[in-house]
Amino acid sequence: MTESKIDLEQQLVQLRHTYVMRLGQELPLLQQDAMLLYQLSDLAWHAQVQDLSAKLHTLAGSAGTFGLSELGEQARQCEQQLKPWLVSGTAVTAAEQQRLIDDIQQLKLPTAVADYPAVPLTAEATPAERAGVYLLCHEPALTEQISTMLDIFGYSYRHFSNVDDIAQAIANKPPEVLIVDLDMHQTPRQCMRRIADLQARQSSAIPLLLLSHQSDFDSYLNAIRVGAIGYFVKPLNTTELEARLRQQLSRNEREPFRVMLVDDDQLLAEHYALVLRQGGLLVEVLSEPALIFESLKQFHPDVILLDVNMPFCSGPELAQLVRLQQAWLGVPIIYLSSETDGEQQLAALIKAGDDFITKPITDTALLVAVFARAQRARQLADVMTRDSLTGLLQHAHIKERLGLEMLRSVRSLQPVSVVMLDIDHFKKVNDNYGHLIGDQVIANLANLLKQQLRKTDLIGRYGGEEFLLVLHDCSIQRAFTLVEQVRELFAALPFTAAEQRFFCSFSAGICAATLEHADLVIDKADQALYRAKSSGRNCTILAG
C-alpha cells in the first residue's frame, strides 16, 4: 500500500470518527425536537416540521457517505413521511404524528461502528521510470523523416530496426510512447501480433502510434485492440504525428481541473474535497454563499458543485446568482443533494443547473462524474477560444489575454514581451503546393512554438499565417534569443509535397509591453515585423 493511499485512508477515518461523534450529539437533539410536536401551536408546529425535514434531509445525504447507509435510509424514510405535512392546510392525525416520532426515536448509531470501509480510490503505485519515445522502423527514408521531426522538436528517442531488439529494450525500460511502422513484416497483421505479444507482457499498456499503408476497418479495429492511440496512413503526415505525440506526452503536465464545492455541512464538504483532491483535482470549499463572486474571480473553477438545501440561500438560487454574470455562463453547475424526487430534481436543473448527483454517492462515482464534467467543460472552452487548425488562441482571445498580462505586469513589475511572427512567402507555398500543404506548414510552426515556449507563455494565431506571442516575465533581449532559436529550428524543418522537399522560414518583430493600449503594443511589434520583412525576411527585429 502506497504512502498516499495510507494517508488518504487515515484522513477519511478521522473524518468519519468526527462525523460519528457529531451524530452522537445531534441525534438526541433531533429526537427531542420531534417530541416537541405534541406541545406546539399550529404556527410553531409548521416551523418545527420544516426544521425537522431539513435536518432529516441532511442526515439522509451524509450518513451513507460516511458508511452509515442504514441510518441514512431510515432518515430518508422519516423525511418522506414529513413531506405531505409541509403543504399548508394538510391535516395530520395523532397516529401519524406518533408513528413519525417513534421512527425518529429509532434513529441510532450502530452499537459497534466499524472502521472506515476500504477506500475505492486506490492510489496506484508510482510507475517505473519510463524512457521517452521508441521508434520501430526499418525503412530508411521513413526513419529519416520521423527522426528529423523528433530531432527538431526536441524529443528524446531511440530507433530500432527489428522487434527483438525493441522487445529487449522495453523489458529493461518501457517507453512513454512507441511509434511502430506496421509494414515491417510481410503483412501488417504479422507485426500487429508481435506488438500484441509485447503489450501482453506489460503491467500497463504502452501508448502506440501506428503507421501503415492499410486503411480498412479491420486494421483500425486491430490497432485499437493492441493499445493504439493514433493510426496514421502513409504517406505519413509528420505534422499530425507530432501533434498526437505531443498531446500524449503532455497529458501528465495538464493543469488539474478546478472544482468549487459549496456545502454548508463542513464535514461532508471536507470528505468530498479529500476524495476529489486524491483524484488529482484542485478543490476550493466554500461554506459562505455570500463570498461566491469573490471566490469565482480568484479560483476560476471548471465545475461548481452545489448542495441544494442550504440555510439562507438554496443551491438553485446560488446557481442563478452565478449565471447573472457573463463570465460564468459556461461553467457547469452540478447539484449534489439527497433529494430523490424526480420533479424536484428537474425543478432544480431548470434553474441554471447542468447535472444532478444524488447523495449518498460512492467516492469513485463522485470522482468520475466530476472529472468527466470538468474535462468536457474545458474541451468546450477550448473549442470556443482556440483556432481549429493549430489549437492556438484565436485573434480576439489572444488580444484579450495580452491586455490582462499587461495589467498583471504593472502589478508584479515583471516585463512582458510581445512578438509578431509571419511565415515568409506563404502565398507561394499555397500556390505551388496547395492549401492543404500550406495548412501543414502553419500547423507545424504552431506545434514548434508550443514545444519551445514555456507553459506560461501565450500563443495566438493572429491571422492566416501570422502569430502573436505574449511572453510573461521576459525581457525583449531574452525574447530575441528565444525567437531566434525557434526561427532556426523552423528553417531546418523539411516539408514534402508531391515528392518534392522544401523549406520555409518566418520573420518576427518584438516589442516590450508598456502601459499603452494593447492595440498600440501590437502595432509596435507589427512595425518591427515589417522592417524584418523589408530587411530580407527570415530574421528578427526589435522595436526601436
Side-chain angles (χ1 to χ4, degrees):
M1 183 179 292
T2 64
E3 183 179 345
S4 61
K5 186 190 173 197
I6 293 172
D7 183 58
L8 172 64
E9 289 188 347
Q10 289 175 342
Q11 292 180 69
L12 290 176
V13 167
Q14 182 58 49
L15 277 177
R16 183 173 188 262
H17 175 73
T18 304
Y19 177 78
V20 169
M21 295 296 291
R22 190 183 78 180
L23 278 189
Q25 298 174 342
E26 291 181 351
L27 284 178
L29 295 176
L30 179 66
Q31 291 158 354
Q32 290 176 23
D33 289 344
M35 293 297 297
L36 289 176
L37 291 175
Y38 280 126
Q39 307 169 18
L40 300 174
S41 60
D42 287 348
L43 186 60
W45 183 89
H46 280 290
Q48 187 73 355
V49 167
Q50 290 176 337
D51 183 61
L52 279 173
S53 179
K55 290 176 178 177
L56 288 167
H57 183 85
T58 298
L59 179 59
S62 62
T65 300
F66 289 102
L68 304 173
S69 56
E70 185 176 349
L71 177 61
E73 183 56 34
Q74 290 172 339
R76 190 183 305 279
Q77 292 174 5
C78 291
E79 182 195 5
Q80 294 299 321
Q81 291 182 53
L82 274 176
K83 276 192 174 182
W85 302 8
L86 297 172
V87 181
S88 180
T90 300
V92 179
T93 66
E96 290 173 330
Q97 190 164 272
Q98 184 59 53
R99 188 179 71 175
L100 173 71
I101 292 172
D102 291 343
D103 288 346
I104 291 179
Q105 297 301 319
Q106 296 302 313
L107 298 177
K108 291 182 173 59
L109 288 170
T111 53
V113 180
D115 289 336
Y116 201 91
V119 180
L121 288 173
T122 55
E124 295 183 1
T126 303
E129 184 182 354
R130 290 177 176 266
V133 179
Y134 286 176
L135 169 62
L136 178 59
C137 180
H138 71 171
E139 182 185 332
L142 183 60
T143 299
E144 181 187 4
Q145 181 185 5
I146 298 173
S147 296
T148 300
M149 178 271 290
L150 294 172
D151 284 331
I152 289 176
F153 281 88
Y155 291 104
S156 171
Y157 72 96
R158 292 178 62 186
H159 170 245
F160 300 87
S161 299
N162 64 74
V163 177
D164 292 333
D165 288 345
I166 203 170
Q168 182 61 49
I170 289 174
N172 294 330
K173 192 172 187 179
E176 292 182 81
V177 178
L178 175 58
I179 303 174
V180 178
D181 177 15
L182 292 176
D183 299 331
M184 291 182 58
H185 290 66
Q186 291 181 352
T187 67
R189 193 177 297 275
Q190 287 180 312
C191 189
M192 196 84 80
R193 281 198 292 268
R194 296 295 304 275
I195 298 302
D197 291 340
L198 283 177
Q199 291 283 48
R201 299 174 201 159
Q202 308 305 311
S203 58
S204 59
I206 301 170
L208 296 176
L209 298 177
L210 303 180
L211 323 175
S212 176
H213 283 107
Q214 304 296 321
S215 60
D216 57 285
F217 177 81
D218 285 343
S219 296
Y220 283 110
L221 185 60
N222 290 330
I224 290 295
R225 288 172 175 171
V226 297
I229 60 168
Y231 189 96
F232 303 88
V233 178
K234 298 175 183 177
L236 176 64
N237 182 334
T238 54
T239 303
E240 294 180 355
L241 176 65
E242 193 281 326
R244 184 61 63 87
L245 178 60
R246 177 172 38 79
Q247 181 185 52
Q248 175 62 29
L249 293 177
S250 65
R251 284 182 63 185
N252 294 334
E253 301 174 6
R254 181 197 62 209
E255 182 183 352
F257 296 130
R258 309 170 75 87
V259 181
M260 178 172 287
L261 176 58
V262 187
D263 198 316
D264 62 305
D265 190 326
Q266 192 65 31
L267 277 179
L268 197 57
E270 287 180 18
H271 175 95
Y272 293 144
L274 186 61
V275 169
L276 295 175
R277 286 171 184 147
Q278 184 67 17
L281 284 69
L282 294 177
V283 183
E284 174 88 359
V285 177
L286 182 65
S287 56
E288 291 291 338
L291 301 176
I292 185 70
F293 290 129
E294 181 182 343
S295 297
L296 286 171
K297 289 177 183 178
Q298 293 179 356
F299 188 63
H300 294 279
D302 293 296
V303 170
I304 301 173
L305 275 178
L306 290 180
D307 189 12
V308 170
N309 295 291
M310 296 184 291
F312 311 116
C313 178
S314 70
E317 287 174 333
L318 193 59
Q320 291 175 90
L321 283 174
V322 171
R323 298 296 192 222
L324 288 176
Q325 296 196 0
Q326 181 76 17
W328 314 115
L329 284 176
V331 180
I333 294 177
I334 302 177
Y335 294 121
L336 191 58
S337 173
S338 56
E339 180 60 65
T340 57
D341 185 273
E343 292 186 3
Q344 293 294 326
Q345 291 183 358
L346 287 175
L349 286 172
I350 289 172
K351 294 180 179 177
D354 297 285
D355 206 347
F356 202 105
I357 295 177
T358 303
K359 302 176 187 175
I361 181 172
T362 66
D363 295 344
T364 301
L366 175 67
L367 178 59
V368 169
V370 175
F371 187 94
R373 269 291 180 182
Q375 180 174 251
R376 184 60 176 157
R378 196 171 287 183
Q379 288 172 344
L380 290 175
D382 284 346
V383 168
M384 298 298 293
T385 61
R386 296 189 178 273
D387 171 62
S388 59
L389 173 64
T390 63
L392 302 179
L393 289 168
Q394 298 169 358
H395 178 104
H397 293 284
I398 187 66
K399 282 184 64 176
E400 180 183 358
R401 296 292 295 275
L402 170 59
L404 294 174
E405 281 299 315
M406 290 169 64
L407 291 174
R408 188 166 74 171
S409 172
V410 173
R411 293 194 301 269
S412 64
L413 300 178
Q414 293 175 327
V416 171
S417 293
V418 177
V419 184
M420 290 292 294
L421 300 181
D422 187 84
I423 299 174
D424 298 326
H425 300 297
F426 186 71
K427 185 177 184 301
K428 289 184 180 179
V429 175
N430 282 334
D431 291 344
N432 294 337
Y433 306 110
H435 288 276
L436 289 178
I437 299 299
D439 284 348
Q440 286 187 28
V441 173
I442 290 173
N444 261 293
L445 178 53
N447 292 347
L448 191 60
L449 289 168
K450 284 184 277 190
Q451 184 82 5
Q452 294 296 314
L453 299 186
R454 302 166 300 175
K455 298 295 181 184
T456 54
D457 295 328
L458 302 173
I459 315 171
R461 187 180 179 190
Y462 201 70
E465 69 273 17
E466 197 170 28
F467 298 80
L468 175 63
L469 315 182
V470 181
L471 310 180
H472 171 71
D473 191 17
C474 182
S475 67
I476 56 173
Q477 291 78 18
R478 184 179 172 190
F480 179 85
T481 302
L482 179 61
V483 172
E484 279 291 283
Q485 177 181 319
V486 177
R487 184 185 61 79
E488 292 173 3
L489 288 171
F490 183 64
L493 186 63
F495 296 93
T496 304
E499 299 183 357
Q500 295 182 36
R501 202 178 195 195
F502 67 96
F503 296 86
C504 291
S505 63
F506 68 72
S507 302
I510 305 175
C511 78
T514 62
L515 293 176
E516 300 170 297
H517 192 277
D519 285 334
L520 296 177
V521 174
I522 293 173
D523 187 56
K524 282 186 177 180
D526 206 31
Q527 290 176 26
L529 169 61
Y530 179 78
R531 292 202 301 275
K533 293 282 189 182
S534 302
S535 301
R537 296 182 170 84
N538 194 20
C539 63
T540 304
I541 297 291
L542 298 177

